[in-house]
Amino acid sequence: MLGARAWLGRVLLLPRAGAGLAASRRGSSSRDKDRSATVSSSVPMPAGGKGSHPSSTPQRVPNRLIHEKSPYLLQHAYNPVDWYPWGQEAFDKARKENKPIFLSVGYSTCHWCHMMEEESFQNEEIGRLLSEDFVSVKVDREERPDVDKVYMTFVQATSSGGGWPMNVWLTPNLQPFVGGTYFPPEDGLTRVGFRTVLLRIREQVCPHLPQWKQNKNTLLENSQRVTTALLARSEISVGDRQLPPSAATVNNRCFQQLDEGYDEEYGGFAEAPKFPTPVILSFLFSYWLSHRLTQDGSRAQQMALHTLKMMANGGIRDHVGQGFHRYSTDRQWHVPHFEKMLYDQAQLAVAYSQAFQLSGDEFYSDVAKGILQYVARSLSHRSGGFYSAEDADSPPERGQRPKEGAYYVWTVKEVQQLLPEPVLGATEPLTSGQLLMKHYGLTEAGNISPSQGELQGQNVLTVRYSLELTAARFGLDVEAVRTLLNSGLEKLFQARKHRPKPHLDSKMLAAWNGLMVSGYAVTGAVLGQDRLINYATNGAKFLKRHMFDVASGRLMRTCYTGPGGTVEHSNPPCWGFLEDYAFVVRGLLDLYEASQESAWLEWALRLQDTQDKLFWDSQGGGYFCSEAELGAGLPLRLKDDQDGAEPSANSVSAHNLLRLHGFTGHKDWMDKCVCLLTAFSERMRRVPVALPEMVRALSAQQQTLKQIVICGDRQAKDTKALVQCVHSVYIPNKVLILADGDPSSFLSRQLPFLSTLRRLEDQATAYVCENQACSVPITDPCELRKLLHP
């Protein structure tokens, strides 16, 4: 892509500024973070600049975004910018007036999106430039991941990284020619200002200037060249390959790549910033299972469990209100970026549940329960759906300017005032507040580095000692310390309720709701808690009621909270993308295994059929991220090839196809799985660490799934005992099937061999089947456990 930089430089003649942080690091992707530094805009930019132009007070005259449903677009509805939502009206205007399109992409809980709005989009002069010389388009990247993915691919290929806000300039036919992320409003020593970028682009390429005609032709020609190069670079296809690569080889390579980047002291796989990476942890658990008698297998388990423990003890976990923040700004998991995303909660609940299955340590199950408690309290719609996120920023006091982390941080004085009670039996004078501050590392000066700016003097709770060490330090009983700390955290939680809350993005996304259905279903099944499975059931019912079009069989991508807690949709509706189908199907399969209600399995099969019709690439293999019609006009139609903050929808689809084959025996789904894995062969061979979730699917496909069949009455105690035994064991490559003896049932029609399996002496009976051969019948849960986990 050096050619792209060269021609862009020739067209725009802008000298280069300092580059920002690269996004494509191990275990994350551009979707993982918004940026605190300017990322190179893919062309050189000038340093220096004119004096400051502070933003004026925002006009209270709405622009056309006021008619949108997206919380992010509504945040910009009073900007002095003539914003358009993504759509034909904006494209027609750009073509008719022969103007470049300025595309700005972000999301409503993005800290640096807020900063750029405050500094630039509320600025009258900048608003005038955008409105007069460009067609300005705002996109919520969570509503339109296809638009985000296409132009993020361009930004990453032509600059030093990616992230949000993402700002890209397009030709009227939607070809990108300049892109970057956050720009400050004015030039600094190392950063180019947004106003300067607009002025220089206007001078060089805007249509009312004499040189536009010549520059426009060059621009269009080279923009097309870049798009063609990007398409070739991002193409994923079976090609002349017949089969996917060896799972053993790819697995070992993925493990070695992770091992090389592992942080021995604090866990995780990078220096800083550090992200939760559930896809990596799931891979390590699976790797342990197939290598558990080897040194590498033990190492994989240790890496995953240690990382989960360090994260749970760190400040990235909200010890007061539970749940996890988006990422840690430091290596120690201490000071987080305070945003809370639904997809993190969903995946981490599963990861901690799996850690409990593996280790039997209730520390991990307690963390999982805490995550789901937070989601139920703060991210749940009364009808069963789940909201997208809570912001990092909030006002320290009502009426004040929002600051990052204000809702979550504490001073020593606050804690002392809230917890003044003396602790009886301690070896020295001690209050509840002092005990809590010692255990969680709070200091008078604040435990946050002065370099963190507006957090200076504040404290983030992070566990510094084990309960045993804290108890020994003050001569107290461990259980007494546990009780005192829990009581203290509850008082902090009650006090925090009086602070201004962070903004809630109440948009509901099918994909993330699917992940959350999995989170509740898997954790509820592992812990044997029907209450949690009921949350998963209500989430699935919400999806079917509010985000599924019965007539077409299609999912909707989004819905929104309306007045009085009602559910609203945009008009026309935003239809689902590949990840919506893949994540919802996974959620439904997990819910079936947790509840044994076959209606969820039937719906999963129907959605998979729709997914295959809308997204399957019959020539190259694998799934496109978007429908052909939905992405009409976009320069690229891509297949996501990285498991990052969320797993790739193709990786999840590979698992879904395997499981659906296990539930139904339909050969077409196994064939599609093999074809998909073959299409991604080169990526898995070269950089398996970029696709750990797909590497897991490759292993499952080559090892074959276990079909664990329980013959019995779903409500009977002996059936439930066998089902719970299965859930208590970590078996990632399995399908759990309930055979109730009804030959007309859905599963009996799919799998005729179920009719040959009988209850032994009228008791609930288990069979473990592999490669069309089943074990002897088992009625004792202990015997079943031995067979499943020898």
Side-chain angles (χ1 to χ4, degrees), residues 326-384:
R326 177 72 280 268
Y327 62 85
S328 173
T329 61
D330 52 67
R331 180 187 164 207
Q332 294 82 11
W333 305 106
H334 177 199
V335 181
H337 173 54
F338 290 90
E339 175 184 22
K340 286 181 174 179
M341 306 300 296
L342 182 68
Y343 58 76
D344 282 326
Q345 317 309 322
Q347 294 176 89
L348 286 170
V350 172
Y352 279 98
S353 298
Q354 291 172 337
F356 172 66
Q357 282 179 311
L358 283 163
S359 68
D361 187 343
E362 292 186 0
F363 172 87
Y364 298 107
S365 59
D366 288 345
V367 176
K369 286 186 284 189
I371 292 169
L372 298 183
Q373 180 186 33
Y374 159 71
V375 172
R377 183 183 65 242
S378 299
L379 294 180
S380 292
H381 188 276
R382 67 185 186 186
S383 298

Side-chain angles (χ1 to χ4, degrees), residues 277-292:
T277 48
V279 288
I280 287 177
L281 301 172
S282 291
F283 167 80
L284 290 171
F285 287 149
S286 291
Y287 189 85
W288 163 80
L289 189 63
S290 57
H291 297 77
R292 60 184 182 275

Side-chain angles (χ1 to χ4, degrees), residues 562-641:
T566 57
V567 177
E568 297 183 340
H569 296 88
S570 56
N571 187 21
C574 183
W575 295 109
F577 297 93
L578 174 63
E579 64 181 45
D580 296 297
Y581 288 84
F583 295 177
V584 169
V585 169
R586 171 188 271 188
L588 295 174
L589 297 181
D590 288 337
L591 180 55
Y592 166 72
E593 292 198 351
S595 67
Q596 287 82 53
E597 292 184 19
S598 62
W600 301 123
L601 184 57
E602 293 183 57
W603 190 30
L605 266 67
R606 184 176 176 189
L607 289 178
Q608 187 65 49
D609 281 332
T610 305
Q611 175 183 320
D612 293 347
K613 291 187 183 86
L614 295 176
F615 305 102
W616 180 253
D617 179 2
S618 57
Q619 292 184 317
Y623 294 96
F624 290 111
C625 294
S626 58
E627 293 182 46
E629 291 76 14
L630 192 61
L634 285 173
L636 303 173
R637 192 180 182 207
L638 300 171
K639 299 172 188 174
D640 197 2
D641 63 351

